[in-house]
Amino acid sequence: MSEHKKSLRLSLIMTYVFMALLLIITCTLPWLITLYVEKMERSMDLATIVMLSYYPCVPVAAKVLFDLRKLLKNLINGDIANTQNVKCLRTVAICCMFVGIFLIVMGFFYMPFYFLGAAASFCALLVHIFKNIIHGVCIASDTESTDN
């Protein structure tokens, strides 16, 4: 197996790991954040803010992970430049931007969310650029095939 396919398979495995982590954290967050707040002697308001910020992002994160899974499976099968991959990347970019904007707004209540929101927005920019590259390759390959 080529190094490229091994790397893609590792990425797919990591996607499954993150899916499992998302599920575990989603189920245990109230207990974890309460434990953190008590140990660090923080206000219980922090627990509420973290949970109110985390749970709206869960379906978005799940959508991102499922789209990344679909994209990686396509890449493993050799389907690199196709419209399905462009759609997956577009969805991931939109989801990252949604989370970025949401967390920047939540930064008003807890300052570290400003940094997380900026990071999510930057990820949205990167994914959008990669989407444009793949889309450009799709257009170029369609033009080539119609010219022949």
Side-chain angles (χ1 to χ4, degrees), residues 39-59:
K39 291 279 185 196
M40 300 303 288
E41 299 177 0
R42 303 280 176 124
S43 168
M44 278 307 287
D45 290 342
L46 176 62
T48 304
I49 291 167
V50 168
M51 286 189 283
L52 287 174
S53 300
Y54 177 80
Y55 285 112
C57 295
V58 169

Side-chain angles (χ1 to χ4, degrees), residues 93 96-97 118-132:
C96 287
M97 187 52 67
S121 298
F122 183 72
C123 287
L125 173 64
L126 289 176
V127 173
H128 187 73
I129 290 168
F130 292 133
K131 187 261 321 170
N132 287 336

Side-chain angles (χ1 to χ4, degrees), residues 22 54-67 91-100 102:
L22 182 67
Y54 177 80
Y55 285 112
C57 295
V58 169
V60 180
K63 176 65 176 156
V64 166
L65 289 168
F66 279 102
D67 278 6
T91 302
V92 170
I94 291 168
C95 288
C96 287
M97 187 52 67
F98 168 79
V99 168
F102 177 74

